[in-house]
Amino acid sequence: MKLRLGMIGGGQGAFIGAIHRIAARIDDEYELVCGAFSSDGEKAKASGLLLGLAASRVYTSYKELIEKEKQLPKDERVQVISIVTPNHLHFEPAKLALENGFNVILDKPMTFSLAEAKELQKVVEQSGKRFCLTHTYTGYPMVKEARQIIKQGKLGKIRKVYVEYPQGWLSFFLEGEDNKQASWRTDPTKSGIAGAMGDIGTHAFNLAEYVSGLHVTKLCADINTVVEGRKLDDDGAALLKFDSGASGVLVATQIAAGSENNIKIIIYGEKGGLEWQQDNANTLLLKWPDKPAEILRTGGSYLSSYATHNTRTPGGHPEGYLEAFANLYRNFALCVKADLDSKQPEKEWLDYPGIDDGLRGMAFVENVIASGKSDLKWTDFKI
């Protein structure tokens, strides 16, 4: 049985909408049945028809989609709604969908502000529906393996966390060239109070907390707007303090000319360390003080159930960004199907980012920007 999927946003010319649709199709867990792909009515209809949808289920607004889908018989209406709009259009569609009984998959960062994130958390809890936030990098098998290694205590007490996300695509003033992706991401009315820190800094923050299993309690940030004329930050770094006493460093920049998307994490414990980077996503490096380093590879029989559950191909066949994205969609689908069958989901299925990750991500945005503006050396991480 495929889950019936609807999409809000992601019409013609949209980058992330196509990624979501590919991710949803990889494991055949979903069928796209409806959508409100654009606020432009003609563009919305054209997008839906190109995707092969019935004209009657291509809507011109998210409100129309939710209202009309709710009126359909239970065995026909959409079951999961994927929201792939710019940040300022996350909260209202997600809230309305949840309140009307639909499960929600939402692109990150979760909302426009921390206040909206707190309200959405309440809505999720009250709705009883499932909610997934697409922090893609947690879907990689070797990222999941790294989390399990730390959780099992193999590195001992964690002492140091380094995470970096370098991009170079905003090294120039692209928002001045009618570049759609650059325009909304650098517009405070659409992106929120953060640019790079909201767009990719939240990914780095989420990866640091997910793999380490720790929570940030204090930070000290340096936030920069490098490209002349830009309205939001395009570069920054933060020193971190975690609840275990560990310290860390987070770097997120979109003006690293020549860099692509090689997000990277290094964690050191008292017994050893580990290293993972997206440029070599099938490899997890373990480093020890008293023996040679170990190289763990996706597909290995020695990996945890969390890594193997999220692996599709034999060892040596690379799995990348699309497959990691698809792992979030599949795990979410398996949990929704378990709910429909009144069964308890497997523990591996439940390993996808949710509302708490979204709330902490928005708290990171507000705290890191506030710290960057403050003269204080350290500021408490407040939610």
Side-chain angles (χ1 to χ4, degrees):
M1 178 193 75
K2 292 184 180 182
L3 293 174
R4 295 180 293 278
L5 178 70
M7 181 167 282
I8 296 171
Q12 292 172 306
F15 153 68
I16 203 65
I19 298 295
H20 279 259
R21 289 191 291 271
I22 292 169
R25 290 197 302 266
I26 284 179
D27 297 292
D28 288 327
E29 296 287 355
Y30 301 87
E31 178 185 3
L32 184 67
V33 298
C34 68
F37 300 102
S38 174
S39 55
D40 180 317
E42 291 304 315
K43 188 174 182 180
K45 292 176 183 178
S47 299
L49 293 178
L50 279 174
L51 292 168
L53 299 183
S56 62
R57 298 186 76 176
V58 179
Y59 305 105
T60 56
S61 73
Y62 71 84
K63 291 181 180 179
E64 182 188 19
L65 183 152
I66 293 168
E67 179 183 347
K68 290 191 175 179
E69 287 293 319
K70 190 178 179 182
Q71 293 172 5
L72 292 175
K74 190 174 181 180
D75 61 352
E76 294 180 22
R77 75 174 71 125
V78 69
Q79 294 167 297
V80 178
I81 294 178
S82 177
I83 301 169
V84 296
T85 52
N87 303 354
H88 69 299
L89 296 174
H90 283 185
F91 173 71
E92 289 293 346
K95 179 176 182 289
L96 192 63
L98 290 161
E99 289 175 339
N100 282 275
F102 299 110
N103 300 287
V104 168
I105 298 174
L106 181 61
D107 204 46
K108 48 57 56 192
M110 189 165 76
T111 51
F112 185 75
S113 67
L114 180 57
E116 285 185 349
K118 290 179 179 179
E119 187 172 347
L120 190 61
Q121 183 186 43
K122 294 176 183 177
V123 173
V124 170
E125 292 170 351
Q126 293 167 359
S127 71
K129 307 308 293 183
R130 290 202 175 269
F131 175 87
C132 175
L133 189 69
T134 53
H135 274 299
T136 320
Y137 308 103
T138 64
Y140 278 104
M142 301 315 286
V143 169
K144 294 189 178 296
E145 185 68 14
R147 175 180 167 88
Q148 293 306 310
I149 285 171
I150 290 175
K151 196 171 184 180
Q152 293 162 12
K154 292 181 179 179
L155 301 187
K157 185 177 180 180
I158 300 305
R159 292 172 169 172
K160 199 77 180 179
V161 179
Y162 295 93
V163 62
E164 62 178 47
Y165 197 149
Q167 288 181 341
W169 76 287
L170 285 178
S171 292
F172 305 98
F173 193 65
L174 296 184
E175 56 268 45
E177 302 175 9
D178 195 31
N179 182 304
K180 181 180 178 181
Q181 296 300 322
S183 294
W184 79 259
R185 282 180 168 82
T186 58
D187 182 349
T189 68
K190 294 181 173 64
S191 184
I193 64 171
M197 280 297 171
D199 191 19
I200 60 174
T202 50
H203 273 312
F205 172 80
N206 177 259
L207 188 65
E209 290 203 333
Y210 176 79
V211 176
S212 72
L214 306 176
H215 281 168
V216 171
T217 57
K218 292 178 180 291
L219 53 77
C220 176
D222 175 44
I223 304 298
N224 306 298
T225 303
V226 177
V227 173
E228 187 175 354
R230 183 157 290 155
K231 296 178 180 179
L232 292 173
D233 60 286
D234 50 21
D235 171 75
L239 301 176
L240 309 173
K241 295 288 188 183
F242 293 88
D243 50 5
S244 68
S247 62
V249 180
L250 181 152
V251 177
T253 181
Q254 293 177 314
I255 50 86
S259 290
E260 295 176 326
N261 288 277
N262 189 28
I263 187 170
K264 179 178 182 179
I265 187 165
I266 303 173
I267 297 181
Y268 295 107
E270 57 188 353
K271 298 178 182 178
L274 60 76
E275 181 176 330
W276 177 88
Q277 57 184 320
Q278 185 169 228
D279 271 5
N280 191 14
N282 272 28
T283 295
L284 177 64
L285 179 65
L286 300 183
K287 297 179 282 189
W288 310 106
D290 55 353
K291 59 182 178 179
E294 296 178 55
I295 297 175
L296 308 188
R297 294 281 291 167
T298 300
S301 60
Y302 45 79
L303 300 177
S304 69
S305 62
Y306 287 86
T308 55
H309 168 69
N310 289 281
T311 302
R312 295 171 181 77
T313 59
H317 294 77
E319 296 195 21
Y321 179 79
L322 293 173
E323 291 86 353
F325 218 121
N327 285 335
L328 306 187
Y329 266 84
R330 181 179 61 168
N331 288 337
F332 189 72
L334 293 173
C335 288
V336 171
K337 289 182 178 182
D339 293 343
L340 293 172
D341 293 335
S342 299
K343 295 180 179 179
Q344 179 64 33
E346 299 291 334
K347 63 183 187 299
E348 292 86 357
W349 306 352
L350 292 164
D351 187 22
Y352 60 82
I355 192 69
D356 291 339
D357 299 275
L359 181 66
R360 289 193 62 79
M362 289 311 303
F364 167 75
V365 168
E366 297 211 356
N367 280 280
V368 80
I369 296 300
S371 175
K373 293 179 179 179
S374 172
D375 291 331
L376 295 176
K377 182 177 179 182
W378 289 96
T379 56
D380 291 335
F381 189 91
K382 300 175 183 177
I383 297 181

